[in-house]
């Protein structure tokens, strides 16, 4: 198979504004949901003076790290969980004559880097100069395979430029933790490291290891296989095994060396030790009988399928098009696919946020997968089911009788947030998960998922809220209230009746009610022991949920008493003081009417029905001037709101900024990893904003608002087991049924029936 390189799928070094080393390490990461490898200078090794944080991440492979609190109160998490940064599989040693890249300082300059998003291949050229002035080119190609999750491939080409001499190539990985020299003072960066052990597994004719974590007691097998000119398996003077080639190189000639790594699944330690041979045999089997090229081609084919179903084609703004493709590529690279992992907030591209999963997955990324790859969406949701037990235990530890309390940030299901006011207190995470389950179900109609997993989560999360909240009187009326929580906006904390939270919880409770009849008298309902009385209380709480409203300004109130907080004029704050969280004590922010990110507006977006455009306009005009967008999750949401209410200019401006979060490093911290939630939110900007999709159990509708900068936008989606392609033009929508039986949808107000017999429709608007 030969795939022609299309320029609109290339991330090319020359076109990137920043050339900062750490930023490039992130941008050119290659991952596949199981493993992720940061880009690096392949000759840097474990050199502590190297400015960079290279390394390999395995999704969900983490260790503990004790959190040191000044004052530690009951119930605070003992440990931080941190994704392990394993050795850099890109590392190679090269000797030229007597000079050795691992001892002598070889100057390495990047000549070129190109990431082909069609195939997932990263192609790089380095020009390397030895201290004696010998110059050679190092051509490096690498990819993480989408066809076999365990495989990472790397190929090196060595070309002497100004000499003939002996060259030795040594590929050996004898340490496990990748050293790093960077020290950062940003609270959002996690610098702790797991405690790892690398055990060499003897008796195989290729380097094979068992990597184990000390505290979390996990294990993974890693092995790699090399092929190339005179390359042989060998043991060095320190008894370390690796690959070695020695040859006399001629100026201008190129020799190639390729390696396929196989990085196994994560197992409990005992298991990994006991079955090491068996696991290794499986990993070995695969990489020994294939080649870099064959694996790359297989992976590229999967990328082709991905683009076929998931691409969004924009005619009119090539820059936005490329940024969008980068976002979709990264999202797909980052998503855990084994039902035991989710999508870390930084993908598998960096150790920012410790590799933790947040609500980012369910609210900002999952919609993209639900509509374009429902199978994968289900696996991502399954992670929440796999950690339901932990959530239940957490609720019990909190003193609750029943229900589940999902962790705000976590890998293993338990809370890892060291700052509870903006962490554990964000109990909306429960309802975010329930909301995502409902979204998945509405789009797929996957009854088995709902019956086997989804409904149980919906009930358990709701039960938690029934105990947290309470019935009380407000303004003389009986209400259900949820006090002392933190909403999505992290510049307010421990508030009463956060609008977003209450609205989401109301929905969560309604879901219990909605499906209760369906599961009545089933094994599931027996197992859940949902009584009539409990259902009645849940219904009453949903009916009476208190949603704060500011009568004076006629807007939804972010939380009860938000209107009494200090007003701040953001334009009076020096630009160098943003993000505010790095410059102000949290209490200065909590007492003010200032937002880090979309909060009430997000609720408007997630529940687009039941209010008028005028209402949304009032909310928008109230919250937009007080929002700093210090969270990268914010702008895309404001873009959707602006598009809905016809603020076209603002919509496009917010969207264009949101879409460039990583590619332009606009939050100045892409070096720590991509902002996966923000990338997903940008897709939402198109889908819910410009395409104007409103979906609920009854109908799929679309109210397009094509930006004037675009001639058209095209994308495919799956809906109730059928696939459709949409092309939206200024005054026309073309929709075709590609597979499945079709449905009736509303497009720009018109009812539109798509069937096998009449699969194409053109709607003028
Ligand atoms: C945001 C949170 C988000 C987290 C991880 C924070 O800056 O405020 O909403 O979940 O980043 O992306």
């Amino acid at each position: 198979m030969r795939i022609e390189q299309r320029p609109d799928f290339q991330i090319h070094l020359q076109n990137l504004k920043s050339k900062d080393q750490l930023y490039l390490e992130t941008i050119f990461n290659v991952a596949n949901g199981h493993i992720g490898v940061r880009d690096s200078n392949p000759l840097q090794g474990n050199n502590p003076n190297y400015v960079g944080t290279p390394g390999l991440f395995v999704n969900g492979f983490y260790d503990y790290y004790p959190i040191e609190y000044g004052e530690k109160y009951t119930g605070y998490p003992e440990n931080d969980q941190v994704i392990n940064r394993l050795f850099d599989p890109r590392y190679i040693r090269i000797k030229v004559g007597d000079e050795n890249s691992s001892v002598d300082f070889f100057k390495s300059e990047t000549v070129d880097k190109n990431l082909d998003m069609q195939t997932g291949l990263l192609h790089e050229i380095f020009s390397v100069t030895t201290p004696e002035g010998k110059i050679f080119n190092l051509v490096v190609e690498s990819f993480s395979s989408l066809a076999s999750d365990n495989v990472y491939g790397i190929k090196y080409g060595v070309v002497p430029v100004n000499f003939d001499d002996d060259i030795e190539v040594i590929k050996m990985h004898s340490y496990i933790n990748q050293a790093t020299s960077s020290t950062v003072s940003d609270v959002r960066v996690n610098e702790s490291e797991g405690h790892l052990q690398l055990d060499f597994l003897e008796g195989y004719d290729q380097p094979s290891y068992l990597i184990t974590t000390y505290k979390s007691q996990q294990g993974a097998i890693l092995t790699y296989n090399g092929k190339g000119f005179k390359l042989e398996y060998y043991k060095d003077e320190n008894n370390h095994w690796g690959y070695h080639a020695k040859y006399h190189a001629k100026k201008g000639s190129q020799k190639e060396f390729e390696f396929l790594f196989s990085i196994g699944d994560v197992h409990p330690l005992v298991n990994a030790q006991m079955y090491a041979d068996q696991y290794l045999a499986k990993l070995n089997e695969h990489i020994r009988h294939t080649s870099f090229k064959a694996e790359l081609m297989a992976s590229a084919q999967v990328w082709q399928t991905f683009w076929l179903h998931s691409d969004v084609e924009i005619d009119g703004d090539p820059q936005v098009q490329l940024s969008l493709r980068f976002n979709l590529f990264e999202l797909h690279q980052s998503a855990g696919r084994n039902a035991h992992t989710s999508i870390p907030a930084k993908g598998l591209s960096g150790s920012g946020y410790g590799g933790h999963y947040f609500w980012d997955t369910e609210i900002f990324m999952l919609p993209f997968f639900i509509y374009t790859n429902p199978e994968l969406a289900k696996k991502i949701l399954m992670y929440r089911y796999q950690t339901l037990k932990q959530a239940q235990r957490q609720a019990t530890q909190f003193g609750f009788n029943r229900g589940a309390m999902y962790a705000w940030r976590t890998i293993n299901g338990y809370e890892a947030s060291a700052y509870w006011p903006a962490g554990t207190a964000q109990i909306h995470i429960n309802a975010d998960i329930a909301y995502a389950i409902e979204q998945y179900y509405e789009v797929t109609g996957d009854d088995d998922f709902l019956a086997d997993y989804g409904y149980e989560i919906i009930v358990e999360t709701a039960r938690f809220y029934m105990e947290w909240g309470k019935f009380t009187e407000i303004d003389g009326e009986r209400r259900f209230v949820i006090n002392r929580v933190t909403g999505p906006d992290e510049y307010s904390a421990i508030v009463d009746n956060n609008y977003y939270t209450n609205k989401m919880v109301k929905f969560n409770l309604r879901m219990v009610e909605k499906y209760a009849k369906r599961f009545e008298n089933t094994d599931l309902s027996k197992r859940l022991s949902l009584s009539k009385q409990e259902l009645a209380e849940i219904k009453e709480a949903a009916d009476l949920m208190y949603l704060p409203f500011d009568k004076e300004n006629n807007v939804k109130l972010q939380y009860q008493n938000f209107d009494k907080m200090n007003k701040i004029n953001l334009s009076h704050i020096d630009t160098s003081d943003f993000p505010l969280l790095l410059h102000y004590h949290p209490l200065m922010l909590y007492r003010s009417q200032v937002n880090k990110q979309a909060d009430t507006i997000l609720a408007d977006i997630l529940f687009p029905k039941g209010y008028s455009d005028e209402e949304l306009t009032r909310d928008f005009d109230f919250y937009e001037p007080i929002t700093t967008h210090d969270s990268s999750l914010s702008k895309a949401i404001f873009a959707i709101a602006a598009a809905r209410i016809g603020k076209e200019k603002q919509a496009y401006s917010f969207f264009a900024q949101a879409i460039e979060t990583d590619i332009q490093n606009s939050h100045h911290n892409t070096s720590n990893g991509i902002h996966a939630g923000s990338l997903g939110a940008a897709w939402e900007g198109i889908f819910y904003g410009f395409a104007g999709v409103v979906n609920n159990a009854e109908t799929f509708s679309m109210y397009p608002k094509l930006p004037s900068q675009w001639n058209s936008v095209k994308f495919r989606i799956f809906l109730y087991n059928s696939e459709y392609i949409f092309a939206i033009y200024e005054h026309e929508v073309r929709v075709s049924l590609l597979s499945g039986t079709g449905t009736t949808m509303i497009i720009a107000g018109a009812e539109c029936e798509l069937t096998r017999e009449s699969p194409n429709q053109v709607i003028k608007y």
Side-chain angles (χ1 to χ4, degrees):
M1 182 184 68
R2 174 153 169 74
I3 299 166
E4 201 184 315
Q5 256 199 10
R6 281 180 49 181
D8 50 351
F9 277 86
Q10 311 303 316
I11 301 295
H12 199 262
L13 180 67
Q14 256 81 55
N15 301 332
L16 295 174
K17 274 195 199 142
S18 166
K19 305 284 186 278
D20 172 70
Q21 173 62 32
L22 283 156
Y23 156 80
L24 296 177
E25 279 189 1
T26 299
I27 291 295
F28 289 109
N29 83 90
V30 288
N32 66 7
H34 174 53
I35 50 178
V37 180
R38 275 171 77 78
D39 186 23
S40 65
N41 169 355
L43 299 178
Q44 102 290 329
N46 213 18
N47 173 0
N49 298 321
Y50 171 73
V51 180
T53 49
L56 161 74
F57 300 104
V58 179
N59 200 354
F61 192 32
Y62 73 99
D63 202 13
Y64 297 141
Y65 189 85
I67 303 176
E68 283 171 29
Y69 297 96
E71 293 170 62
K72 182 165 176 278
Y73 288 88
T74 307
Y76 279 20
E78 299 283 337
N79 296 302
D80 195 358
Q81 299 154 32
V82 55
I83 192 164
N84 298 312
R85 193 151 61 88
L86 310 180
F87 66 70
D88 180 8
R90 294 168 52 84
Y91 175 52
I92 192 159
R93 276 187 259 163
I94 295 182
K95 286 187 188 170
V96 179
D98 295 335
E99 299 176 281
N100 181 347
S101 70
S102 70
V103 184
D104 308 307
F105 178 73
F106 281 22
K107 209 166 130 253
S108 168
E109 261 176 42
T110 304
V111 178
D112 200 17
K113 281 182 197 288
N114 187 68
L115 176 64
D116 181 357
M117 296 187 289
Q118 271 176 299
T119 60
L121 178 69
L122 174 62
H123 183 277
E124 298 164 287
I125 305 172
F126 300 90
S127 168
V128 186
T129 311
T130 72
E132 285 178 13
K134 290 186 179 137
I135 301 173
F136 63 93
N137 283 340
L138 184 62
V139 183
V140 183
E141 292 191 320
S142 59
F143 69 99
S144 290
S145 171
L146 279 199
S148 11
D149 290 352
N150 300 115
V151 173
Y152 169 76
I154 184 153
K155 184 159 109 179
Y156 307 89
V158 183
V159 191
V161 172
N162 63 355
F163 65 90
D164 291 352
D165 205 340
D166 283 349
I167 287 191
E168 275 180 71
V169 171
I170 299 156
K171 181 80 175 160
M172 184 174 281
H173 298 278
S174 41
Y175 50 85
I176 183 62
N177 273 62
Q178 184 64 52
T180 169
S181 65
S182 92
T183 43
V184 233
S185 58
D186 188 329
V187 289
R188 296 163 295 181
V189 182
N190 194 314
E191 282 215 276
S192 45
E193 272 186 6
H195 190 155
L196 293 166
Q197 189 173 321
L198 188 67
D199 287 313
F200 187 74
L201 300 171
E202 302 270 358
Y204 301 90
D205 51 2
Q206 64 185 46
S208 306
Y209 311 93
L210 171 63
I211 306 175
T212 49
T213 59
Y214 182 63
K215 290 199 174 138
S216 65
Q217 299 276 294
Q218 288 182 325
I221 307 277
L222 185 153
T223 183
Y224 62 98
N225 183 272
K227 293 190 181 82
F229 186 72
K230 292 191 172 172
L231 197 65
E232 58 186 34
Y233 186 51
Y234 99 121
K235 197 185 210 178
D236 75 358
E237 58 284 3
N238 300 317
N239 285 335
H240 291 141
W241 285 95
Y243 284 95
H244 175 252
K246 184 168 182 180
Y247 61 101
H248 190 72
K250 290 252 181 260
K251 190 159 76 182
S253 67
Q254 169 156 343
K255 294 280 175 270
E256 288 188 342
F257 309 93
E258 61 177 62
F259 300 88
L260 286 177
F261 282 76
S262 197
I263 300 130
D265 302 338
V266 177
H267 297 282
L269 180 56
V270 189
N271 207 345
Q273 264 165 351
M274 256 172 62
Y275 297 107
D277 283 350
Q278 201 176 312
Y279 294 148
L280 180 59
K282 214 174 121 216
L283 298 174
N284 260 340
E285 176 69 17
H286 184 75
I287 52 171
R288 288 169 81 88
H289 300 108
T290 178
S291 66
F292 179 91
K293 189 169 171 203
E295 287 301 291
L296 173 64
M297 284 298 122
S299 175
Q301 230 146 20
V302 183
W303 274 114
Q304 293 289 292
T305 310
F306 165 76
W307 288 116
L308 178 71
H309 298 291
S310 311
D311 194 17
V312 178
E313 283 179 70
I314 296 168
D315 178 7
D317 192 334
Q319 185 55 44
V320 161
Q321 171 73 82
L322 190 66
S323 306
L324 175 66
R325 290 214 168 109
F326 174 77
N327 292 4
L328 304 184
F329 178 85
E330 285 295 333
L331 277 176
H332 195 59
Q333 287 208 119
S334 308
R337 287 148 165 75
N338 60 6
H340 290 275
T341 51
S342 181
I343 315 178
K346 300 280 175 188
L348 294 165
S349 69
S351 46
Y353 285 132
H356 297 170
Y357 316 125
F358 293 71
W359 71 314
D360 304 32
T361 305
E362 281 75 17
I363 297 299
F364 300 94
M365 303 185 237
L366 210 61
F368 167 67
F369 293 104
I370 291 178
Y371 282 100
T372 60
N373 190 346
E375 287 281 305
L376 180 49
K378 178 178 173 176
K379 290 194 175 140
I380 298 168
L381 273 176
M382 278 305 292
Y383 162 77
R384 294 300 187 179
Y385 189 76
Q386 302 295 353
T387 50
L388 177 61
K389 285 268 166 307
Q390 287 87 317
Q392 286 165 329
R393 236 169 265 152
Q394 226 156 242
T396 312
Q397 279 161 10
F398 243 72
F400 285 64
N401 297 312
R402 306 174 84 180
M405 179 187 192
Y406 277 98
W408 171 244
R409 51 186 295 175
T410 186
I411 296 175
N412 65 6
Y414 292 111
E415 186 60 80
S417 134
Y419 183 60
W420 63 269
T424 317
Q426 293 203 46
I427 61 165
H428 61 85
I429 178 75
N430 263 13
D432 300 333
I433 295 167
Y435 181 91
I437 289 170
E438 176 65 1
Q439 287 262 306
Y440 169 77
Y441 181 65
E442 275 178 4
V443 175
T444 60
D446 185 345
D447 289 315
D448 290 347
F449 178 80
L450 190 69
D452 295 344
Y453 315 107
Y455 191 58
E456 188 173 347
I457 296 182
I458 290 173
V459 170
E460 286 294 281
T461 47
R463 280 178 168 156
F464 168 80
Y465 290 127
M466 290 304 292
E467 282 196 42
W468 185 293
K470 62 171 186 171
F471 291 97
T472 187
E473 266 202 13
I474 296 186
D475 300 333
E477 282 184 52
R478 184 169 156 80
R479 293 293 195 178
F480 189 77
V481 296
I482 302 180
N483 291 337
R484 311 284 91 188
V485 301
T486 299
D489 166 39
E490 295 182 354
Y491 287 169
S492 306
I494 319 300
V495 301
D496 290 345
N497 293 308
N498 166 255
Y499 183 93
Y500 173 92
T501 306
N502 288 18
K503 184 85 185 170
M504 292 295 281
V505 175
K506 183 177 167 112
F507 183 79
N508 194 158
L509 303 180
R510 286 265 185 260
M511 289 306 105
V512 176
E513 218 190 306
K514 178 175 166 187
Y515 297 116
K517 254 246 114 16
R518 175 183 311 191
F519 296 116
E520 208 177 317
N521 300 324
T522 60
D523 287 352
L524 176 64
S525 79
K526 274 180 223 141
R527 186 155 55 86
L528 295 176
S529 53
L530 250 181
S531 68
K532 284 219 160 62
Q533 191 197 336
E534 189 182 6
L535 274 171
E537 275 169 21
I538 286 177
K539 181 177 178 327
E540 194 189 5
D543 289 346
L544 300 182
M545 183 67 70
Y546 178 62
L547 295 169
F549 193 80
D550 177 349
K551 289 197 185 113
E552 198 179 307
N553 290 299
N554 213 1
V555 293
K556 299 178 186 107
L557 204 51
Q558 186 175 332
Y559 56 85
Q560 208 176 350
N561 290 329
F562 181 71
D563 47 338
K564 318 246 166 34
M565 299 297 133
N566 302 333
K567 294 198 189 314
I568 300 188
N569 189 332
L570 290 180
S571 62
H572 294 166
I573 297 179
D574 200 275
T575 46
S576 61
D577 278 351
F578 292 94
L580 301 182
L581 71 117
L582 297 185
H583 301 96
Y584 289 83
H585 191 283
L587 285 171
M588 296 304 285
L589 302 170
Y590 297 169
R591 290 160 47 245
S592 308
Q593 286 187 31
V594 61
N595 281 194
K596 179 183 180 190
Q597 63 205 99
D599 190 299
T600 317
I601 291 292
L602 180 59
D604 281 340
I605 297 308
L606 296 184
F607 299 100
K609 292 215 160 160
Y611 60 84
S612 64
D613 279 3
E614 288 70 39
E615 231 177 301
L616 180 56
T617 307
R618 283 196 300 272
D619 289 346
F620 184 94
D621 290 344
F622 183 82
Y623 287 103
E624 194 273 326
I626 59 172
T627 305
T628 62
H629 308 290
D630 285 345
S631 161
S632 67
L633 299 172
S634 191
K635 282 188 178 153
I637 302 305
F638 274 84
I640 300 172
R644 285 202 181 151
I645 54 183
K647 293 185 188 257
E648 204 201 294
K649 261 200 183 142
Q650 258 174 309
Y652 203 69
S653 155
F654 275 131
F655 167 76
Q657 292 175 62
I659 206 152
E660 296 194 326
T661 300
D662 283 320
I663 201 81
Q664 297 291 2
N665 196 12
S666 46
H667 282 251
H668 310 289
N669 59 2
T670 294
S671 49
N672 306 321
I674 54 156
H675 300 73
S678 175
L679 308 184
W683 179 88
E684 294 181 321
I686 297 179
F687 196 64
Y688 297 118
F690 303 137
V693 168
V694 174
N695 193 13
N696 61 25
E698 293 117 46
T699 26
F700 176 88
S701 351
M702 197 177 247
Y703 302 90
K705 303 267 167 97
L706 193 74
S708 59
Q709 290 81 348
W710 298 356
N711 302 316
S712 66
V713 58
K714 292 184 192 152
F715 54 81
R716 293 180 178 214
I717 59 163
F718 287 98
L719 199 58
Y720 325 125
N721 299 315
S722 298
E723 192 180 17
Y724 303 87
I725 185 162
F726 293 87
I728 304 174
Y729 301 89
E730 197 186 346
H731 293 299
E732 188 180 285
V733 178
R734 289 171 181 262
V735 51
S736 299
L737 171 67
L738 299 173
S739 66
T741 51
T743 189
T744 301
M745 48 180 85
I746 311 280
I747 296 185
E751 201 173 275
C752 166
E753 205 187 339
L754 290 138
T755 59
R756 278 202 197 134
E757 293 67 42
S758 78
N760 307 310
Q761 297 279 356
V762 180
I763 302 97
K764 304 269 180 215
Y765 71 96

